[in-house]
Amino acid sequence: SGLVFAKGEPESAREGESIFQDVTIPEAPEDQGIGTLVGMQNSFRSVAQKVLPTVVEVDTVDIVTQSFSNQSPFGFFFRGPDSNENTVPREFRRSGLGSGVIIYRSNGNVYVLTNHHVAGEAEEITVTLADERKFEAELVGSDPNRDLALLVFETKEEIPVIEIGDSDTLMVGDWVLAIGNPYGFASTVTAGIVSALGRETTSAGGSVTYTDYIQTDAAINQGNSGGALVNIYGQLVGINTWIASSSGGNVGLGFAIPINNAKKVVDDLLNEGKVEYGWLGITVGDASETIREDMGLGSATGGFVVGVIKDSPADKAGILPGDYITSIGGAAIKGRDELVVSVGNIEPGTTVDFKVIRNGASFDTPVTIAVKDEARLAESGSKMWPGFFPVSLTDELRERFSATKEAGNIVVGNVDEGSQAADAGLRAGDIISSINGKPVDDLSQLYRIINEAGTKNYEFTLFRRGEELKIQIRR
């Protein structure tokens, strides 16, 4: 007997014929569940066809200079390994790959939005469209604070432009598609949902930036940076930026910059050639449980003012170290990161009401925000007051610093470089016993003393490694 096929016919009966029949797809499946899946599939197809032509591959070249030794093999033994003689600087080309999104065109100029880390420092930039057309592009400008860059190339040809969406309308659970060029595989589409909104870089161990992030489980990998995150209408709602992964590959934790956060960057780069950020002039932290107890903050959320720069907008508005900022312009502040982002997003020159808690009481104060100037900030250390971060001594910290109860209850957590406190010799780990002869039992007392109006000189009695010493800090 011969082999039997699915229809039960013997093999000999189908000699020379294909075992595959013509396939037809029902136009309207009777099964409601299948009909729902078909509808979803058709929606994904429609979105992909609409968006794919607007997402490009961004190839970059950086010119990197390194010094190489040009000496003989014996030179090492006679001149020593630290010798700089006969070193020759050489340039080499370092290639990079990412993605970008065509967001605007005007008079033959086509603008592509991507990440700063993709193209913000590139010497050469090539943009490749989904239909494989290639164009040499130039950098209009970039913003490392939000990790965004704007490119431009010229052409009279027809170029598709993506539809811009509203990222503020996104909700957790919404379907999104990520489109880019992971590992150089052009025009790759992945689907997922919005896993979370308002994510901060510090939640993954990063530094504070002037944006929050959309978290998605749509697969994002290396090369996706700068690509599009779109909603079910094919509208751009985010720029794919980074992944949280120990392996460098997708683990379902992708992050995109909300498009509403990018709009100001694009407008500033097109109109001003640079991006300006608002500046308050403080150092800020989150309030620990001991800070809450000592300062009478209760359950209020906000940012704790650690230090204030002299003549800054905060200083001119009367904000003091130890204050707790709970809202800006009527919008509640959840923590340090949100305060930094909120201030940065305020147009310089704008006056905004800040709600502050001081000594347990809440009040409003108007603040006129200034322009953030990196050069000025680099020199602001000497103007920072008080120039150190005090911490209440817990039992654990008291044991770590071998501090007796008599030494005091406040320890110096860190000291700002270049500040008056640093110049006076204050060090991290010093235990503050009294200031100007007044005992310092908790943080509330410390801030009351250092904020006394009219006082310019402060004598600190400290304990360092069990020994008492005194230092003078001038305000």
Side-chain angles (χ1 to χ4, degrees):
S1 62
L3 296 175
V4 178
F5 287 86
K7 294 178 68 175
E9 300 177 49
E11 184 176 18
S12 59
R14 298 187 58 87
E15 288 184 1
E17 298 179 18
S18 172
I19 64 171
F20 300 106
Q21 300 177 359
D22 291 338
V23 178
T24 59
I25 298 176
E27 292 185 8
E30 295 180 4
D31 186 302
Q32 187 175 359
I34 294 177
T36 301
L37 291 175
V38 170
M40 180 182 294
Q41 177 176 273
N42 289 338
S43 296
F44 284 164
R45 285 179 178 176
S46 176
V47 172
Q49 290 169 7
K50 176 181 178 180
V51 176
L52 275 170
T54 70
V55 179
V56 303
E57 179 179 300
V58 178
D59 294 279
T60 63
V61 174
D62 296 340
I63 308 299
V64 182
T65 302
Q66 286 190 350
S67 295
F68 295 88
S69 174
N70 199 32
Q71 64 185 36
S72 74
F74 301 102
F76 174 83
F77 297 101
F78 297 104
R79 283 193 291 270
D82 295 329
S83 174
N84 291 321
E85 294 182 23
N86 296 321
T87 57
V88 179
R90 297 178 183 174
E91 291 185 346
F92 68 93
R93 298 161 63 86
R94 180 174 61 193
S95 300
L97 172 68
S99 306
V101 189
I102 301 171
I103 61 166
Y104 179 62
R105 66 171 301 165
S106 174
N107 299 323
N109 291 323
V110 181
Y111 294 90
V112 176
L113 186 61
T114 185
N115 286 134
H116 169 80
H117 77 262
V118 170
E121 298 178 353
E123 301 282 343
E124 300 174 12
I125 305 170
T126 303
V127 169
T128 305
L129 274 62
D131 60 11
E132 298 187 356
R133 284 182 289 173
K134 293 181 182 291
F135 299 93
E136 297 302 313
E138 294 181 357
L139 181 69
V140 176
S142 69
D143 177 18
N145 289 312
R146 277 201 183 98
D147 194 12
L148 291 169
L150 187 65
L151 315 178
V152 65
F153 64 89
E154 295 183 8
T155 181
K156 296 297 184 182
E157 301 174 20
E158 277 297 314
I159 300 291
V161 176
I162 201 164
E163 182 182 351
I164 305 297
D166 181 0
S167 53
D168 289 346
T169 63
L170 284 177
M171 297 184 68
V172 173
D174 284 357
W175 278 104
V176 286
L177 274 68
I179 302 175
N181 305 285
Y183 300 109
F185 291 97
S187 302
T188 296
V189 181
T190 57
I193 63 169
V194 174
S195 305
L197 295 167
R199 288 298 197 203
E200 300 161 346
T201 48
T202 48
S203 64
S207 59
V208 182
T209 60
Y210 288 93
T211 187
D212 54 2
Y213 293 89
I214 302 163
Q215 181 184 327
T216 178
D217 65 351
I220 295 175
N221 288 286
Q222 294 178 27
N224 268 117
S225 290
L229 188 74
V230 299
N231 59 21
I232 59 172
Y233 307 106
Q235 297 172 326
L236 183 66
V237 292
I239 299 296
N240 300 322
T241 300
W242 60 288
I243 58 175
S245 170
S246 57
S247 64
N250 173 63
V251 294
L253 290 170
F255 298 87
I257 300 169
I259 191 60
N260 287 7
N261 291 8
K263 289 175 181 177
K264 180 181 184 298
V265 173
V266 173
D267 286 340
D268 283 355
L269 290 176
L270 284 175
N271 298 323
E272 307 295 336
K274 61 180 180 179
V275 182
E276 290 186 339
Y277 285 94
W279 180 64
L280 181 59
I282 64 172
T283 52
V284 61
D286 286 318
S288 65
E289 286 303 316
T290 53
I291 288 176
R292 289 186 175 280
E293 292 175 8
D294 286 358
M295 305 300 292
L297 301 179
S299 60
T301 63
F304 185 74
V305 179
V306 178
V308 176
I309 297 173
K310 185 179 179 182
D311 296 327
S312 68
D315 184 39
K316 293 175 182 177
I319 293 176
L320 299 173
D323 284 350
Y324 194 58
I325 299 171
T326 59
S327 75
I328 300 175
I333 298 297
K334 297 176 183 176
R336 174 194 67 155
D337 295 353
E338 189 170 57
L339 191 151
V340 172
V341 172
S342 297
V343 170
N345 289 338
I346 297 173
E347 193 73 26
T350 305
T351 300
V352 184
D353 282 338
F354 280 59
K355 186 173 287 294
V356 176
I357 296 177
R358 180 185 299 164
N359 300 327
S362 179
F363 64 94
D364 289 329
T365 183
V367 182
T368 301
I369 301 299
V371 176
K372 183 182 179 186
D373 184 335
E374 297 294 344
R376 179 174 57 187
L377 287 177
E379 302 172 355
S380 65
S382 61
K383 297 182 178 181
M384 182 70 71
W385 180 254
F388 65 92
F389 181 38
V391 180
S392 291
L393 271 172
T394 61
D395 292 339
E396 180 183 352
L397 288 175
R398 195 177 293 279
E399 183 177 346
R400 183 193 303 179
F401 292 108
S402 301
T404 64
K405 291 280 187 180
E406 293 72 25
N409 297 320
I410 303 296
V411 64
V412 176
N414 68 281
V415 181
D416 294 322
E417 185 177 351
S419 66
Q420 298 288 350
D423 292 344
L426 192 67
R427 300 180 187 173
D430 286 349
I431 297 170
I432 301 172
S433 176
S434 67
I435 303 174
N436 287 347
K438 301 174 183 177
V440 179
D441 295 326
D442 58 26
L443 290 175
S444 178
Q445 287 184 340
L446 182 143
Y447 283 113
R448 279 193 175 94
I449 296 171
I450 66 171
N451 288 329
E452 287 178 347
T455 305
K456 294 295 182 183
N457 293 297
Y458 295 83
E459 182 180 75
F460 281 63
T461 301
L462 310 170
F463 280 87
R464 182 181 297 166
R465 297 176 182 175
E467 294 185 7
E468 182 180 294
L469 67 151
K470 297 181 185 294
I471 63 170
Q472 295 277 346
I473 302 178
R474 180 171 177 79
R475 186 173 182 174

